[in-house]
Amino acid sequence: NAGVTQTPKFQVLKTGQSMTLQCAQDMNHEYMSWYRQDPGMGLRLIHYSVGAGITDQGEVPNGYNVSRSTTEDFPLRLLSAAPSQTSVYFCASSPEGRDTEAFFGQGTRLTVV
Amino acid sequence: DAKTTQPTSMDCAEGRAANLPCNHSTISGNEYVYWYRQIHSQGPQYIIHGLKNNETNEMASLIITEDRKSSTLILPHATLRDTAVYYCIVRVVGTGRRALTFGSGTRLQVQP
């Protein structure tokens, strides 16, 4: 059982480039979310989804898009990367009705130069 | 969500119990206490949660005071791999639409 899998683990982008961070879970969880964690700071919610076809914005959604076409996958797209998006990105999933019991991926460390 | 207060850091000897306190004096009746930890560079890991009764699982025990204004996470036999930042979170369950607020947490250093 792989849990929550994020790819890639590391990425360097140039300013203005776009890319997609992948997140997949094999636990049939309804709820999935994306967080970013900046050095010395807590996690901030970017976007979340309560099920396939349903997404919504979190605290810091600007510059990011998401979609949820299947239960398993929840990709995060950076539209035009900026240095301020340099961060560690975590994807998480939770069972329906138990959103506070989250399983996190190992993170994607993104650097925008 | 109720505010939580945790010590910034704690040390514990390997093999001894680690007792991590959390103060949540403004907790509401429908809010649960959750504990997560984050080992360096890894994603946060759910540990345990409770409402008002003490809880135990394979990782830890959670002791909640009778007035629910504070709680203690107990790692019964700490190992070096338990070195991490531990977060106490107070939340209602099942809203699905709000972030988990991790705060600053307690940095636990397990010493050999």
Side-chain angles (χ1 to χ4, degrees):
Chain A
N1 195 344
V4 178
T5 302
Q6 290 184 234
T7 56
K9 287 187 170 52
F10 301 93
Q11 182 72 48
V12 178
L13 287 180
K14 294 182 178 179
T15 298
Q17 286 184 316
S18 62
M19 79 159 293
T20 300
L21 279 61
Q22 302 292 343
C23 176
Q25 53 95 4
D26 60 1
M27 297 173 283
N28 202 31
H29 286 169
E30 290 296 316
Y31 184 75
M32 296 186 73
S33 54
W34 277 101
Y35 289 82
R36 60 177 286 175
Q37 185 174 33
D38 299 319
M41 296 182 65
L43 281 76
R44 292 183 291 170
L45 183 66
I46 305 171
H47 285 284
Y48 64 91
S49 168
V50 298
I54 306 169
T55 64
D56 208 342
Q57 296 180 350
E59 303 168 78
V60 288
N62 292 341
Y64 307 95
N65 271 356
V66 292
S67 60
R68 184 95 179 272
S69 56
T70 67
T71 298
E72 294 78 20
D73 299 299
F74 191 43
L76 178 72
R77 281 184 289 277
L78 278 70
L79 308 173
S80 176
S84 61
Q85 293 179 305
T86 293
S87 189
V88 181
Y89 291 85
F90 291 103
C91 177
S93 74
S94 306
E96 184 178 6
R98 290 158 54 192
D99 62 292
T100 39
E101 294 173 48
F103 293 79
F104 282 80
Q106 290 303 297
T108 295
R109 188 174 298 273
L110 175 69
T111 302
V112 182
V113 298
Chain B
D1 301 336
K3 179 179 166 54
T4 61
T5 303
Q6 300 177 250
T8 303
S9 63
M10 294 181 64
D11 286 345
C12 176
E14 190 176 19
R16 304 296 295 268
N19 297 289
L20 293 93
C22 180
N23 191 298
H24 32 79
S25 58
T26 61
I27 192 170
S28 301
N30 63 344
E31 289 182 312
Y32 285 69
V33 180
Y34 287 80
W35 283 85
Y36 278 77
R37 72 181 182 183
Q38 187 171 23
I39 296 170
H40 180 63
S41 298
Q42 297 183 21
Q45 178 186 23
Y46 164 80
I47 301 173
I48 198 168
H49 75 278
L51 181 62
K52 54 184 177 181
N53 298 319
N54 298 339
E55 302 288 345
T56 296
N57 63 19
E58 65 277 4
M59 289 182 66
S61 294
L62 173 61
I63 308 297
I64 302 174
T65 57
E66 194 167 342
D67 63 8
R68 302 210 321 124
K69 293 185 176 183
S70 65
S71 60
T72 302
L73 177 74
I74 301 173
L75 307 177
H77 305 286
T79 71
L80 298 178
R81 286 178 291 183
D82 291 321
T83 292
V85 179
Y86 287 77
Y87 298 97
C88 170
I89 300 169
V90 172
R91 266 284 303 274
V92 296
V93 178
T95 63
R97 298 182 186 275
R98 289 183 293 134
L100 287 169
T101 303
F102 282 82
S104 301
T106 296
R107 186 171 298 276
L108 175 69
Q109 181 70 49
V110 180
Q111 306 285 357

